[in-house]
Amino acid sequence: MSGTFVGMPAFPKAARDAVRDTTLRGNLRHATHTIRDKRAKAVAELDDWQQLREAGKRIKDLTLRHLDRHLLRLEESVTAAGGTVHWAADAAEANRIVGDLVKATGETEVVKVKSMATQEIGLNEALAAEGIHAYETDLAELIVQLGDDRPSHILVPAIHRNRAEIRAIFRDRMAGWGRPAPEGLTDNPADLAEAARLHLREKFLRAKVGISGANFMVAETGTLVVFESEGNGRMCLTLPETLISVVGIEKTVPTWQDLEVFLQTLPRSSTAERMNPYTSMWTGTADGDGPQTFHLVLLDNGRTDALADDVGRQALRCIRCSACLNVCPVYERAGGHAYGSVYPGPIGAILTPQLRGTTSEIDASLPYASSLCGACYEVCPVAIDIPEVLVHLREKVADRGGPGHRLEKAAMKAATWAMDHPGAMAAGERAASRTRALHPRRPPGAGAWTDSRDLPELPAEPFRDWWRKNRT
Amino acid sequence: MNARDRILARVRAAVEGAPEAPPVVRDYLVSHTPDDPAAVLDLLHENLVDYRARVHRTDEAGIGALVAGLLAARGAGSVLVPRGLPPEWLAEAACAHVEDGAESTAADLDAVTSVVTGCALAIAETGTLVLDGGPAQGRRRITLVPDHHICVVRVPGQIVASVPQAMARLDPGRPLTWISGPSATSDIELDRVEGVHGPRTLDVVLLSP
């Protein structure tokens, strides 16, 4: 992953700052609670939700197990349908490929559909360095771009902004990017949407190059699929002469029929709708309809590292619905920016450290950005056991050592020995009970913990002794 | 080694020795709706309305007047006509008819008020229209740039109950657009607002023989 968020403090520090921001907390609480309840209703409409969830999980697992085969099939299908396939091992390669393709058209501006993959590789910044302006056209991405801000949610990157803040950004910034905001703009969401419509329309109508990601790629047919709501996706996918799609290799599904599962689970999990307003499906190029030149850039950028991890590879099932963000108590309080990545929330906490490793302080802290409550696993439409992966990644971080983790490891090792030796454990418990009057209230070295918590009282006798006396 | 070979080699190395994944079991429902054409039609109607499409029912004898009325109510100065549109659908429409052609630019389309099309099929359970560029539908852009879309669905032939039933009937080789209500956004405080870049008004005509 690229350095979009370089210099971010580790999660605990960033989260501490965020929870003190009462506007941010209010915005997040309002938005996540709204969507949470609606999602539960949308899911409850389908009696076979659990079967769809299991089918989605298995489709993804089976695809990942034979990903080489499916990628080759996809390449063949897209090529046969008139597209050109490129392969990019990392962000730098992908950015270079896209930059060269845009330059070959002679254009200096592109319109973009919201895409996590292009956020991940920092494509806009890379294009800017080549003198190419990339205009974000999703409403939330537009808010982020105009506000010189960072995305904080997978689905709604400007979730941290309320309507009054959005109005101020539009009023102050739109003129610098094109058509100014209408006079007397209110903070009514419908008026804000209208302002975005007017601002972006001139860009859509003159655009010669569109850039997108994709939610799914069908290997057997070469079909790409984009789910969206506003119509900005359709604009970017059909009006330009050239379309460039940058897609992670894990977005592949083998068959056309596989889409019937995700077309049911993704909209309901994501925007809590039976179906999102617009879904576009295209296979290569179509004569006289839409872009006549189509490039697909297949992106690895750390995905094969995640694929190599027996436990962690399930994160690659993710269909980016963001349901796990909306139910997460940690995300609700800390906000998306604290995760220091374009992938925030529970899925980000397991995806980011796998995609870019755990060498930086922020990435090593991400597996700890959770209370392991399991709500994320419950709502995941492809049954990613996020708590399981978090614990697994914590082990990996701890194994590597470092301050704190060495002590934890030593303590766990001692505990393991004691559990394996019941006699020693019982003797230790009795000794602890007899000496309880002598115990310090604040054990040395645990200050951060006991600053805000009391140690539990030790009982007068160990539980096992009590049990033997009273119950046997 | 080029990037393609490197990525494929890394994929193979990553899953080498991994256990085989369990097979996909498709024990989910093919449809959630009783197999009764009248009930399926009502469900489509209800779900279209729920996502703010305006729904009208008519038959072959009434469609000309209905479409003319919708265009007049909109104050449409012009209407886009895709190739293959049954002439009787627009027989009574007084506004200027604009044939869509390869030479018309996006800016030309932006100057047109309304567009009338057919569809490939409609899905009752989700309130979705699917267009596949077939006869009476035209290029994808003509149902995108004008602000008012009138879409005619033939009853019962073009209605399916569920997404799996729709997938079985669609041709992936064609460019497909799935439309569920007018364009909308949830980007402001995760609350749905209708009307962004696509047509802000969607009229659906359920046409019985």
Side-chain angles (χ1 to χ4, degrees):
Chain A
M1 285 167 77
S2 84
T4 320
F5 292 79
V6 156
M8 278 292 294
F11 184 85
K13 158 85 174 74
R16 197 153 53 234
D17 295 342
V19 294
R20 288 202 193 104
D21 183 337
T22 50
T23 307
L24 175 70
R25 283 195 59 173
N27 294 353
L28 284 171
R29 190 184 151 74
H30 171 70
T32 55
H33 282 249
T34 305
I35 193 78
R36 224 180 263 186
D37 300 342
K38 284 199 280 191
R39 181 197 166 276
K41 276 194 207 115
V43 167
E45 281 187 8
L46 299 185
D47 295 335
D48 56 342
W49 183 260
Q50 288 310 327
Q51 286 88 333
L52 286 165
R53 184 179 190 235
E54 181 65 21
K57 171 191 172 180
R58 289 190 179 200
I59 289 168
K60 285 287 191 171
D61 280 351
L62 201 55
T63 310
L64 290 168
R65 181 62 186 80
H66 304 284
L67 189 58
D68 56 335
R69 227 168 58 200
H70 297 303
L71 287 170
L72 288 170
R73 182 86 197 275
L74 175 73
E75 179 185 49
E76 197 183 315
S77 309
V78 170
T79 308
T84 307
V85 178
H86 310 260
W87 301 68
D90 56 28
E93 271 186 23
N95 287 333
R96 194 169 58 241
I97 292 167
V98 177
D100 288 348
L101 289 171
V102 177
K103 279 189 277 182
T105 66
E107 295 295 317
T108 55
E109 58 176 48
V110 300
V111 287
K112 280 187 69 200
V113 191
K114 179 173 139 38
S115 133
M116 295 308 299
T118 60
Q119 281 277 2
E120 174 192 321
I121 62 176
L123 178 65
N124 293 4
E125 294 77 7
L127 290 177
E130 302 279 345
I132 299 161
H133 298 280
Y135 294 113
E136 293 293 349
T137 64
D138 169 74
L139 179 52
E141 292 279 15
L142 176 71
I143 296 164
V144 167
Q145 189 172 44
L146 292 177
D148 199 15
D149 199 352
R150 285 178 290 115
S152 71
H153 189 278
I154 289 175
L155 176 72
V156 194
I159 195 171
H160 56 290
R161 298 290 196 185
N162 62 34
R163 59 187 73 189
E165 294 173 284
I166 295 167
R167 172 183 169 266
I169 291 168
F170 280 9
R171 189 194 54 206
D172 299 342
R173 301 290 183 89
M174 270 186 171
W177 287 77
R179 180 171 175 156
E183 284 294 319
L185 179 66
T186 73
D187 66 1
N188 178 341
D191 289 347
L192 296 171
E194 165 80 10
R197 177 185 170 95
L198 294 170
H199 177 78
L200 287 172
R201 182 142 293 225
E202 58 175 22
K203 294 189 167 60
F204 289 135
L205 296 185
R206 69 168 187 242
K208 295 281 185 281
V209 182
I211 295 182
S212 82
N215 296 90
F216 300 95
M217 306 185 283
V218 182
E220 71 170 352
T221 60
T223 308
L224 269 73
V225 188
V226 165
F227 289 65
E228 54 133 351
S229 297
E230 298 166 13
N232 65 307
R234 293 180 65 193
M235 292 277 182
C236 296
L237 297 170
T238 54
L239 294 185
E241 292 163 5
T242 300
L243 172 62
I244 305 167
S245 300
V246 181
V247 190
I249 51 176
E250 85 284 15
K251 297 284 165 196
T252 313
V253 295
T255 70
W256 174 249
Q257 193 191 1
D258 293 331
L259 290 178
E260 72 191 16
V261 173
F262 303 110
L263 278 161
Q264 295 186 80
T265 53
L266 179 53
R268 288 177 199 262
S269 281
S270 178
T271 46
E273 293 167 304
R274 289 183 200 102
M275 193 63 84
N276 49 298
Y278 297 132
T279 298
S280 293
M281 302 180 180
W282 72 98
T283 304
T285 56
D287 281 343
D289 183 357
Q292 295 303 296
T293 307
F294 170 56
H295 295 278
L296 170 61
V297 181
L298 294 172
L299 178 72
D300 180 350
N301 203 35
R303 285 159 177 76
T304 47
D305 290 328
L307 186 61
D309 188 310
D310 291 342
V311 178
R313 68 167 64 102
Q314 59 184 304
L316 297 176
R317 281 185 216 142
C318 176
I319 56 174
R320 309 284 189 266
C321 73
S322 71
C324 62
L325 278 63
N326 299 335
V327 297
C328 177
V330 176
Y331 176 86
E332 183 189 328
R333 285 159 183 84
H337 290 154
Y339 295 80
S341 153
V342 296
Y343 302 110
I347 186 65
I350 62 169
L351 200 53
T352 306
Q354 296 200 82
L355 292 182
R356 58 186 191 194
T358 50
T359 47
S360 78
E361 200 190 352
I362 173 94
D363 294 341
S365 71
L366 284 177
Y368 296 86
S370 167
S371 63
L372 302 180
C373 78
C376 48
Y377 171 58
E378 290 296 314
V379 297
C380 179
V382 285
I384 301 171
D385 191 341
I386 293 178
E388 181 191 30
V389 182
L390 284 167
V391 171
H392 169 72
L393 293 174
R394 287 178 188 186
E395 275 169 24
K396 283 176 84 167
V397 171
D399 272 350
R400 217 189 41 219
H405 296 304
R406 273 193 293 274
L407 264 177
E408 185 187 332
K409 260 183 90 176
M412 291 313 282
K413 215 170 148 186
T416 308
W417 182 85
M419 304 260 192
D420 282 346
H421 299 77
M425 181 131 155
E429 285 169 354
R430 276 182 215 117
S433 286
R434 270 182 234 116
T435 59
R436 64 193 173 126
L438 308 172
H439 294 177
R441 304 303 304 162
R442 296 165 62 94
W449 175 262
T450 52
D451 274 349
S452 54
R453 297 171 186 83
D454 292 323
L455 276 182
E457 290 286 332
L458 265 176
E461 66 178 332
F463 173 74
R464 287 180 223 234
D465 292 357
W466 177 89
W467 180 265
R468 203 172 296 117
K469 262 188 256 165
N470 292 286
R471 291 286 186 277
T472 54
Chain B
M1 227 195 315
N2 63 27
R4 178 179 184 273
D5 295 339
R6 260 184 299 151
I7 293 171
L8 288 170
R10 288 176 60 86
V11 167
R12 288 177 187 129
V15 294
E16 199 185 0
E20 185 52 50
V24 177
V25 179
R26 299 189 193 272
D27 57 355
Y28 48 84
L29 301 173
V30 172
S31 157
H32 302 81
T33 315
D35 190 16
D36 165 12
V40 171
L41 175 63
D42 288 343
L43 182 64
L44 174 65
H45 190 145
E46 186 186 318
N47 283 335
L48 284 165
V49 169
D50 194 33
Y51 283 159
R52 309 283 185 276
R54 304 191 308 195
V55 183
H56 319 271
R57 297 198 190 194
T58 189
D59 56 18
E60 294 287 355
I63 186 160
L66 174 67
V67 171
L70 293 173
L71 290 168
R74 173 79 187 187
S78 53
V79 59
L80 259 169
V81 187
R83 211 161 292 154
L85 195 83
E88 59 275 18
W89 293 2
L90 279 173
E92 297 174 44
C95 60
H97 295 194
V98 181
E99 300 277 335
D100 178 47
E103 68 294 340
S104 60
T105 65
D108 294 338
L109 296 176
D110 198 32
V112 180
T113 323
S114 302
V115 59
V116 178
T117 71
C119 66
L121 54 80
I123 307 168
E125 288 179 6
T126 56
T128 303
L129 311 166
V130 184
L131 274 62
D132 71 356
Q137 298 168 57
R139 301 184 292 167
R140 285 172 283 177
R141 59 178 60 194
I142 70 167
T143 54
L144 173 64
V145 181
D147 202 15
H148 178 211
H149 181 193
I150 302 173
C151 185
V152 180
V153 182
R154 290 188 184 278
V155 179
Q158 289 186 319
I159 302 178
V160 298
S162 70
V163 169
Q165 289 171 347
M167 290 299 289
R169 277 177 54 164
L170 291 167
D171 174 0
R174 310 184 73 98
L176 300 174
T177 306
W178 295 48
I179 299 172
S180 308
S183 79
T185 182
S186 300
D187 279 356
I188 301 165
E189 300 176 7
L190 269 174
D191 217 0
R192 183 170 162 133
V193 179
E194 274 81 20
V196 200
H197 304 296
R200 287 180 288 187
T201 308
L202 175 63
D203 280 305
V204 180
V205 177
L206 302 174
L207 174 65
S208 301

